[in-house]
Amino acid sequence: MRDQLKTEAEQPPAVPGQRRQVPALTTAPAPAATAALPNALPTAPAATPSAGAAAPARRAAGRPERAEMADRLGYLDSATRRINSALDLAATLRNIGRVLVPTLADAAVVHLRDPLPNVEREPGFPEELRIHHSTGTRIGRRGRPSALDDRRRSRYGARSTADGGPATPVTRGAARAHALLSRRPAEAAVLGAPGAERTETLLRELYGTRGVARLAAGTSVLAVPLRGRKAVLGLLILIRRPPERTGRPVFDAADTATAAHLATQAGLAVDTALRYAREWEIANELQRSMLPLRLPQSHGVRIAQRYLPGERGAQVGGDWYDAVPLPGNRVALIVGDVMGHSLTSAAIMGQLRTSAQTLAALDLPPHEVLYHLDEQAQRLGREQHLATCVYAVYDPIANRVVMANAGHVPPVLVRPDGTAELVELDSGAPIGVGGVDFNSVELPAPPGSALLLFTDGLVETRTRPISDGLEVLRTRIAAARWQSPEQLCQEALRILPPGDRGDDIALLGACFDGIPAGDVAHWYLQPRNETPGRARRLAAHTLRRWGLDELCEATELMVSELVTNAVQHATRPVTLSLVRTTRLRCEVGDDSPLLPRPRRTGPEDERGRGLQIVARCADRWGATRLGTGKVVWFEQRLPVRT
């Protein structure tokens, strides 16, 4: 074996009195002091003659036993609080390494089960052990440390290897399985001394012969299992270099009892971190499942979205976004934020998003949508969380956008010349307050303009008030050169300071391209018997003007069927619209709320075949109920020009 332990950074041998050590207990402490130590194990005779001789030497130096006990209890108290101070697994492992090294040991290695178990149920026999953290040693690591490893080092010399530490299988009857599953108290061993055969076998199984060769004879090793609430989660290896190198004795009985107590705390802390990580992932997945995977891309507008969850300590939030296609090639843009961070917030977000989709499909004005959302929140109960929301409807034909706000941060509207402004809306009160009026504001949105909707997590941080964040965002958007909604969202995220975020962020960017007036035809037709024939002629004339003669016959047939059905139920003028984009879309609207449904027809039936004809001839068709009636539409692909 080599004559010294390989550590993270070569250091000269420690001089006694310069290294902070855990005060050693005598082999026979006072009864009152022993009773004051929580979960203290009875002290046994010293592990080695050198350890047994250390106590008289310390007493001869004039250090009272009661003071040594107080120091050790103080160390246990501070170490326990630090081990349990984090919920993140990586931070917990770092804290474990920092409280153990160099106070109790020269090096520490944490092995955890691989894969990490589901701590909510019994995980069974461990399959593998993987190094997840090492402090003060490179034992068990393969090859020389890389530049990435050097960057991972902390000022304590700790290095997390959760993504690259070697794994070793666990077989029944092996030393690894015995060290993990044994209920016997932990025992320290000195390499090269009698009685260390089992420990040396364990080290060879974990690190191989080359790894064990890095440890000099006389090195003291302590292996303690990390037990969670239901199962063993891993193994903690503590190492002390030979006494002649460091001036510190090998592990004695008091050190073993201290390590066992801290290993118990460490196992519970790792168990807590795994439980928290699982709960956070479930909550985050729940929220993401409630958000749309992709947004509809309507003609005349390009849409992009971003969602960034907050830091793990913030739990799951209630931010959401949505886009709903509306008749007339319009689109509703929605961004909302349920106040609070919990599973309840995510559940309420899902309910409000579903309600907003339903209300948007009715083609209600934005302020009416917010009013009904507020009513829905009231039905959920006054004890539920409040929510903010901004709702906008963009019309690519009229080149207008109508917006209403319910206590939300103002959106950013970008003009075609690149100037950006915060839209001054009557913010009203958040959804859920009840009894509040909302107002809609109509603004011009010519082609080349854009709208950015977002939640307050983008502009409000721990060190920056929301007013400053809004101005920073507006300045950034105005100065940046972006060409697409994806780039617009990316530029908005650049204002975030480095570090963890305390709140989640939802972004919805829309670039308005509009639809030229020459590609739109719209008529109001009186509900008379001759109206279907007039509708056929108007449609055929428009298609020929657009150079779509190939679609005339099928379009005339479908328009005739839909207008005929509308005339039979309408009491007010029927609307007929044709829009040419990458597809030809036809919409027929009337004031009857009854949606048409395809039905089976027999050979003798004279009616009921209109929708079957539309379904056969059109690429897509559908019916939408509006606040004042309904719209039945169909789409056709444009012919390919050679």
Side-chain angles (χ1 to χ4, degrees), residues 239-265:
I239 301 171
R240 275 189 186 176
R241 292 185 289 179
E244 60 270 15
R245 294 292 180 182
T246 63
R248 179 159 61 174
V250 298
F251 292 117
D252 59 13
D255 295 330
T256 302
T258 300
H261 175 76
L262 294 181
T264 299
Q265 297 297 323

Side-chain angles (χ1 to χ4, degrees), residues 176-202:
R176 290 184 296 274
H178 175 80
L180 282 171
L181 306 177
S182 175
R183 293 289 180 176
R184 297 176 55 189
E187 297 179 356
V190 179
L191 300 186
E197 293 80 7
R198 178 177 295 174
T199 300
E200 292 176 354
T201 302
L202 171 65

